[in-house]
Amino acid sequence: MGTRTSTTSALAPSRRRRRWALALAGLLACCAAATAATADATTATASAQVAPDALDGFSRAAVRSAWTGTADPALAVPTAWTGLVADCRAGAPSAAAQQSALDMVNLYRDLTDLSHVRFDTALSAQAQRAALIMDAQGALSHNPPDTWACWTAEGVSAAGRSNLYLGPTSGARAVLGYIDDPGASNTSVGHRRWILDPGQEVMGHGQTGRANALYVVAPQAVDPSAPEWIPWPSAGYLPVQAEPEGR
């Protein structure tokens, strides 16, 4: 994702409208066999979601504080990956890197009045295997063949259930890419829709030196009060960094 010159204090009010931003080269939306061809999620019974801290999206100061207090620190955290492609060692990102990626996911969910999610340890381990395959092969696929470097059945399974990103990045910065979701190949903005799906409550996250896998096809909460769709940009104020392509 290209860099953008902006300041953390720059915010602009947005109207409730749909903006279908479209796909980062080297970034794939998840499309598991268990789901339909769209990014709409199937629902399953699951435990209660974590409620977000109240964020007044119509308060310029509150939104600025949320971004500078969460996104800026999260984006500064290095991956500190413990694995090694040459040995096909999956390793793991540091605990701080995992937390920073989760913080970015939940910040965007706060901006859209959605419940927080958590990262599941088992799903994250699977996502880590998927990220390793992408890093080792230098390519992206939701169904990589067994001829790909560092191939494992667990990694392939996770690849089919994850948003995928390839390129020097951190988990938090990959989340920025998923939300922006530019490019002609992602007209359905599937990456963003998975992250902002109202039913989401648990995800997994894997990160290597240059690949990311965000496991998003997981059991979901059944919430009759959840909205049918989420507008993006969200209503109220929005940091310009959260919408790199502008309006």
Side-chain angles (χ1 to χ4, degrees):
M1 182 169 65
T3 57
R4 175 180 173 84
T5 304
S6 59
T7 62
T8 53
S9 60
L11 297 110
S14 63
R15 298 179 178 85
R16 281 198 178 273
R17 59 184 177 85
R18 298 185 186 185
R19 173 179 174 267
W20 301 121
L22 310 173
L24 194 58
L27 180 153
L28 292 179
C30 171
C31 45
T35 67
T38 69
D40 295 323
T42 54
T43 55
T45 356
S47 56
Q49 291 170 292
V50 180
D53 294 330
L55 174 60
D56 181 2
F58 291 92
S59 166
R60 187 185 186 99
V63 173
R64 180 190 294 115
S65 176
W67 187 269
T68 58
T70 301
D72 286 352
L75 293 171
V77 175
T79 298
W81 178 45
T82 61
L84 184 65
V85 169
D87 294 339
C88 288
R89 188 167 73 240
S94 69
Q98 284 289 82
Q99 186 62 50
S100 68
L102 180 60
D103 287 346
M104 285 301 295
V105 168
N106 284 329
L107 174 58
Y108 280 111
R109 291 180 68 87
D110 278 345
L111 288 169
T112 48
D113 294 324
L114 294 172
S115 298
H116 283 185
V117 299
R118 61 182 176 83
F119 283 168
D120 177 80
T121 302
L123 295 184
S124 292
Q126 294 175 47
Q128 190 64 35
R129 291 286 182 184
L132 176 64
I133 294 173
M134 308 308 148
D135 190 329
Q137 188 66 27
L140 295 178
S141 172
H142 289 300
N143 187 28
D146 60 10
T147 54
W148 277 32
C150 299
W151 187 96
T152 59
E154 183 182 39
V156 171
S157 177
R161 293 169 172 79
S162 299
N163 286 349
L164 301 174
Y165 187 112
L166 183 65
T169 190
S170 66
R173 292 192 178 277
V175 173
L176 280 178
Y178 295 140
I179 292 292
D180 187 34
D181 222 359
S185 63
N186 277 343
T187 54
S188 65
V189 291
H191 307 88
R192 184 194 308 157
R193 290 168 64 190
W194 278 114
I195 292 173
L196 299 182
D197 190 307
Q200 293 281 27
E201 67 165 13
V202 60
M203 298 180 183
H205 176 259
Q207 175 71 44
T208 66
R210 63 169 182 164
N212 180 271
L214 184 65
Y215 195 118
V216 290
V217 184
Q220 296 196 352
V222 176
D223 182 2
S225 66
E228 293 183 6
W229 58 277
I230 299 298
W232 187 259
S234 55
Y237 287 96
L238 190 74
V240 293
Q241 297 93 328
E243 194 182 357
E245 298 300 317
R247 292 181 174 79

